[in-house]
Amino acid sequence: MARSYSISSGFGQRVDPTGYSGTGHDGIDIPGSAGEAILAARYGTVVEAGYHSSAGNYAIVKHDNGYYTYYMHMTENFVSVGQTLETSQQIGTMGTTGNSTGVHLHFGIATGVWSGFVNPTNFI
């Protein structure tokens, strides 16, 4: 059964709630509970994983369909570069690391690494 979710901040132009990230939002924010499992949207290979001052603990996964998925602001990151993931495999836990206003997953989809962002709501 699919998990229901809400979106607290959509893709595209918005007022930056922190004043540090600019007005373009390259993903969607999905609120949740601290420590909640974050699962891979599709099977693929981890191409980046680490910490970034804005993204917090994050992972980027490359998929066979040419897209990359982005998972940001995690409290814990359970994956490493080069690791192959199955669909729904746990990537980490929901948190509020980096430039964040509260516990949520920033989920993005792009055609490149840190480039070519598209609206994730067109896929989910």
Side-chain angles (χ1 to χ4, degrees), residues 95-108:
T96 185
T97 61
N99 187 13
S100 171
T101 59
V103 176
H104 71 282
L105 166 65
H106 174 97
F107 177 71

Side-chain angles (χ1 to χ4, degrees), residues 28-99:
I28 58 174
D29 291 344
I30 303 169
S33 301
E36 185 176 343
I38 295 172
L39 309 179
R42 182 182 174 101
Y43 58 90
T45 303
V46 179
V47 295
E48 277 193 34
Y51 182 84
H52 181 275
S53 60
S54 182
N57 294 319
Y58 75 97
I60 303 172
V61 180
K62 181 179 182 179
H63 304 283
D64 66 329
N65 61 0
Y67 288 101
Y68 295 79
T69 50
Y70 290 69
Y71 308 84
M72 300 179 184
H73 305 303
M74 297 184 288
T75 296
E76 293 183 276
N77 186 342
F78 297 155
V79 299
S80 57
V81 173
Q83 182 177 348
T84 300
L85 302 175
E86 297 297 323
T87 301
S88 298
Q89 183 173 338
Q90 187 170 4
I91 291 175
T93 57
M94 197 170 291
T96 185
T97 61
N99 187 13

